[in-house]
C-alpha cells in the first residue's frame, strides 16, 4: 500500500504542477468565457430596427404601426425623400415604400451599416396588412374580419412510456433534461481526451525511456497500475472541484448584475425537470465512463515500445470517444434500433444514455440497467487490463501495438497452462 501511495503522489503532484494540466483546467473555462461574452455582446448589440413606411393607405400605415415590437418598429413618413433623409441621418435602418395602385407592391431600401431588418417578419406583416386592406375594400364586418384572421391553435404535449403508462412531460422539461445529458457527454469526452492521453503518456514515457525495469524492481506492476490510476482520478476530482467553485461564484456574480446576460436563455429551460435522481445518475455515469476510458488508456499505453508510439495508443480512445459523442448528438434528435442498442454498449452508453434518459426516451430502470452493465464491464475490464499490464509493461515489440497485443495474449495463455510435474 505504501509503495502504491508513492506512485500516486508522484503522478498527482507532477501533473498538478505541469503546464499541460493547467491548460486542461483553464481551456474549457476560457472557452466558456468566450462563448458567454459573445452571447452577452450579441444581446447588448441587438437593438430595435427602425423602418420608415411611405404609403398613401392609412389602413396599411395603422396596421404596420400596430405590428411594431421590440425587434422592429415601423414609423410613418409623408414622402420617400423625407424617409431617405432620416436614413441618411442614421435615424432609420430601412425605408419601406408601399404602392397600392394598380396592385399592392412594396420595395425596401436597407442600410448596410444599420440594424438588420427581419425580412421574414416584414413579409408576414405586409401579408396581414394587405389582407386587412382587401377586407376593408370588400366592406367586411369586424366579426368577419376577425374570422378571416383567425388561425387554428395547435396544442402540443410530450409523453414518455413508464411501466406501460403514458407520463406527461413538458417541452421545457424534456429540453432541460436533454441539455444536462448533452453537457455530461461533452464533459466525458473532454475528460477522456485529456486524462486518457495523460495516462497513456505516463506509461508510454516510462517504457520508452527504459526506466520501467528500475521502477518494477521496487514495486509490483499491480501497485504501479492502481497508483497511476488513483493519481489520474485525483487530478480529475480537483478539476471538478475547481469547476464547481467557479460555477457557484459565476452564478452569484451574474445574479448581482443589473441585467443577467443568461436571463433570456434560462427562460427556455425548466430547471424543475432536472431531478436529484437525474443528477446522481449523471454523476455516476460520468465517473464510470471516465474511469473506463482511463483503464483503456492504461492498456493501450502499456503496449507501446517507445515514445513515438504514444500517438497510436491514444487513437482508439479518441475514436471511441468520438463515436459516443456523435451518438449523443444524434440520439438527442430521435432514436432508432441501432442507437437504442448502442446506448447500452460500454464506451458508447456513457455519453448516449444520459441524453436518452434526460429526453424521456427511456425510463429510469433502463438507465440504471445501462449503468449496471457499464459497472460490471468496468470491473471485468480492469481485472483483465491488470493481467495484460503485468505482461506488457516489460515487453517491447517494434512491430506495432497490434503485434504487441498478440504477443501479450500468447504470454497470458502460456502462463495459464499447468506446468508439468517433475518426477
Amino acid at each position: 500500500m505504501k509503495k502504491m501511495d508513492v506512485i500516486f503522489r508522484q503522478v498527482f503532484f507532477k501533473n498538478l504542477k505541469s503546464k499541460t494540466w493547467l491548460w486542461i483546467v483553464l481551456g474549457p473555462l476560457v472557452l466558456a468565457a468566450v462563448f458567454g461574452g459573445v452571447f452577452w455582446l450579441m444581446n447588448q448589440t441587438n437593438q430595435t430596427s427602425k423602418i420608415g413606411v411611405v404609403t398613401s393607405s392609412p389602413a396599411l400605415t395603422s396596421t404596420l404601426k400596430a405590428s411594431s415590437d421590440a425587434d422592429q418598429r415601423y414609423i410613418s413618413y409623408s414622402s420617400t425623400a423625407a424617409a431617405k433623409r432620416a436614413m441618411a441621418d442614421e435615424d432609420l435602418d430601412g425605408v419601406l415604400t408601399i404602392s397600392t395602385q394598380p396592385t399592392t407592391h412594396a420595395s425596401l431600401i436597407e442600410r448596410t451599416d444599420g440594424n438588420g431588418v427581419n425580412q421574414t417578419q416584414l413579409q408576414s406583416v405586409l401579408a396581414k396588412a394587405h389582407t386587412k386592406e382587401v377586407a376593408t375594400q370588400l366592406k367586411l364586418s369586424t366579426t368577419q374580419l376577425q374570422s378571416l384572421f383567425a388561425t387554428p391553435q395547435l396544442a402540443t404535449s410530450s409523453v414518455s412510456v413508464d411501466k406501460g403508462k403514458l407520463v406527461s412531460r413538458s417541452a421545457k422539461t424534456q429540453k432541460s433534461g436533454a441539455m444536462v445529458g448533452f453537457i455530461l457527454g461533452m464533459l466525458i469526452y473532454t475528460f477522456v481526451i485529456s486524462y486518457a492521453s495523460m495516462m497513456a503518456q505516463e506509461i508510454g514515457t516510462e517504457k520508452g525511456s527504459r526506466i520501467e525495469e528500475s521502477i518494477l524492481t521496487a514495486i509490483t506492476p499491480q501497485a504501479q497500475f492502481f497508483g497511476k490510476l488513483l493519481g489520474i482520478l485525483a487530478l480529475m476530482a480537483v478539476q471538478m472541484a475547481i469547476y464547481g467553485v467557479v460555477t457557484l461564484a459565476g452564478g452569484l456574480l451574474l445574479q448581482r448584475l443589473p441585467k443577467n446576460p443568461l436571463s433570456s436563455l434560462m427562460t427556455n429551460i425548466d430547471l424543475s425537470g432536472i431531478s436529484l435522481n437525474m443528477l446522481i445518475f449523471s454523476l455516476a455515469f460520468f465517473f464510470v465512463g471516465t474511469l473506463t476510458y482511463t483503464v483503456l488508456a492504461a492498456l493501450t499505453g502499456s503496449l507501446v515500445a517507445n515514445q513515438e508510439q504514444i500517438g497510436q495508443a491514444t487513437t482508439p480512445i479518441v475514436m471511441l470517444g468520438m463515436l459516443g459523442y456523435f451518438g449523443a448528438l444524434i440520439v438527442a434528435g430521435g432514436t432508432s434500433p441501432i442507437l437504442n442498442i448502442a446506448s447500452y454498449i460500454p464506451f458508447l452508453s456513457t455519453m448516449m444514455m444520459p441524453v436518452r434518459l434526460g429526453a424521456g426516451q427511456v425510463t429510469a430502470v433502463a438507465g440504471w440497467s445501462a449503468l449496471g452493465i457499464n459497472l460490471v464491464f468496468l470491473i471485468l475490464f480492469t481485472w483483465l487490463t491488470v493481467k495484460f499490464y503485468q505482461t506488457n509493461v516489460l515487453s517491447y515489440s517494434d512491430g506495432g501495438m497490434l503485434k504487441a497485443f498478440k504477443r501479450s495474449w500468447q504470454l497470458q495463455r502460456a502462463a495459464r497452462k499447468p506446468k508439468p510435474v517433475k518426477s
Side-chain angles (χ1 to χ4, degrees), residues 88-218:
D89 295 335
E90 298 185 359
D91 293 331
L92 293 177
D93 301 297
V95 174
L96 178 67
T97 305
I98 306 175
S99 173
T100 57
Q101 297 298 331
T103 59
T104 302
H105 174 75
S107 62
L108 174 67
I109 303 174
E110 188 175 358
R111 187 158 59 92
T112 56
D113 58 341
N115 296 317
V117 177
N118 188 338
Q119 296 188 17
T120 302
Q121 183 199 38
L122 179 57
Q123 289 176 349
S124 176
V125 172
L126 285 173
K128 182 179 178 180
H130 176 66
T131 303
K132 189 173 182 180
E133 178 77 7
V134 173
T136 303
Q137 294 175 1
L138 295 175
K139 299 180 180 180
L140 297 177
S141 65
T142 305
T143 304
Q144 291 173 325
L145 189 61
Q146 291 175 350
S147 300
L148 181 65
F149 282 122
T151 55
Q153 297 295 321
L154 176 64
T156 61
S157 60
S158 301
V159 296
S160 60
V161 180
D162 187 5
K163 298 179 181 179
K165 297 181 180 180
L166 298 180
V167 180
S168 177
R169 291 173 60 89
S170 68
K172 283 188 177 182
T173 301
Q174 185 177 6
K175 185 177 180 180
S176 61
M179 181 193 67
V180 171
F182 174 74
I183 292 175
L184 174 68
M186 185 170 61
L187 277 175
I188 291 177
Y189 181 70
T190 304
F191 273 62
V192 160
I193 298 301
S194 303
Y195 287 100
S197 299
M198 187 183 295
M199 184 69 162
Q201 185 80 26
E202 279 282 334
I203 300 171
T205 301
E206 289 180 358
K207 284 194 67 177
S209 59
R210 294 299 196 272
I211 64 172
E212 198 71 64
E213 292 88 346
S214 301
I215 295 174
L216 293 181
T217 57

Side-chain angles (χ1 to χ4, degrees), residues 214-244:
S214 301
I215 295 174
L216 293 181
T217 57
I219 191 173
T220 63
Q222 296 95 323
Q224 185 196 37
F225 173 85
F226 285 109
K228 289 183 179 294
L229 189 62
L230 289 175
I232 296 296
L233 290 179
L235 290 169
M236 291 185 193
V238 172
Q239 183 174 356
M240 291 302 297
I242 293 174
Y243 285 176

Side-chain angles (χ1 to χ4, degrees), residues 339-346 349 353 356 362 366-367 369-370 373-374:
L339 292 175
N340 292 344
I341 295 172
S343 63
Y344 289 90
I345 298 176
S349 66
M353 185 55 75
R356 294 192 65 198
V362 294
S369 297
I373 293 173
N374 278 267

Side-chain angles (χ1 to χ4, degrees), residues 6 22 50-51 54 57 110 113 148-149 160 170 173 213 223 268 313 337 352 359 386 388 393 408 411:
V6 171
L22 186 63
K50 298 178 182 178
I51 303 173
V54 181
S57 172
E110 188 175 358
D113 58 341
L148 181 65
F149 282 122
S160 60
S170 68
T173 301
E213 292 88 346
N268 297 321
M352 295 176 62
V386 171
F388 277 99
V393 76
S408 178
L411 291 174

